[in-house]
C-alpha cells in the first residue's frame, strides 16, 4: 500500500487530538484532583475511543490505530484516577 499525501491530514489530526489529552492526564496524575471530571463523560468517551481503535484496526488505518491506542491509554488513565479518587471529599 502506497503512502498517499492525504494521509498527512490523518496523521496531523491524529497527532493533535491525541496530544490534546496529555495535559489533562498529566494534571490529574500530579494533583489527584478529579473533582471537575465527569465520570459519565469519560466512561462513554473511553468506550468510544476503544471502538475507534477496533474500527481502525479492521480498516488497517494506521493513523486511527496509533492515535486511538495512545488516546485510549490516556483516557483510561484519567478514568481510573476518577474512579480511584472521585469518592474522596475535601473538608
Amino acid at each position: 500500500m502506497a503512502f498517499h499525501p492525504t494521509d498527512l491530514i490523518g496523521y496531523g489530526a491524529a497527532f493533535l487530538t491525541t496530544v490534546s489529552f496529555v495535559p489533562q492526564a498529566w494534571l490529574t496524575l500530579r494533583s489527584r484532583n478529579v473533582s471537575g471530571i465527569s465520570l459519565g463523560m469519560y466512561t462513554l468517551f473511553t468506550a468510544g475511543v476503544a471502538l475507534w481503535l477496533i474500527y481502525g484496526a479492521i480498516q488497517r488505518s494506521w493513523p486511527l490505530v496509533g492515535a486511538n491506542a495512545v488516546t485510549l491509554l490516556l483516557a483510561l488513565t484519567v478514568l481510573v484516577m476518577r474512579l480511584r479518587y472521585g469518592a474522596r471529599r475535601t473538608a
Side-chain angles (χ1 to χ4, degrees):
M1 187 160 101
F3 179 79
H4 197 277
T6 58
D7 286 342
L8 289 176
I9 295 170
Y11 284 109
F15 175 78
L16 292 174
T17 56
T18 300
V19 168
S20 72
F21 280 88
V22 172
Q24 181 68 62
W26 182 251
L27 179 64
T28 303
L29 282 168
R30 275 190 24 237
S31 69
R32 307 283 195 249
N33 181 358
V34 294
S35 62
I37 296 174
S38 166
L39 180 59
M41 180 273 180
Y42 257 88
T43 301
L44 292 172
F45 177 76
T46 303
V49 171
L51 291 176
W52 274 116
L53 176 59
I54 293 166
Y55 175 78
I58 292 168
Q59 295 294 317
R60 296 179 189 223
S61 173
W62 305 124
L64 281 177
V65 170
N68 286 295
V70 173
T71 303
L72 182 60
L73 179 65
L74 294 169
L76 277 171
T77 299
V78 173
L79 182 59
V80 167
M81 297 290 288
R82 173 59 177 84
L83 290 168
R84 184 171 179 188
Y85 296 105
R88 293 184 180 177
R89 302 246 185 225
T90 56

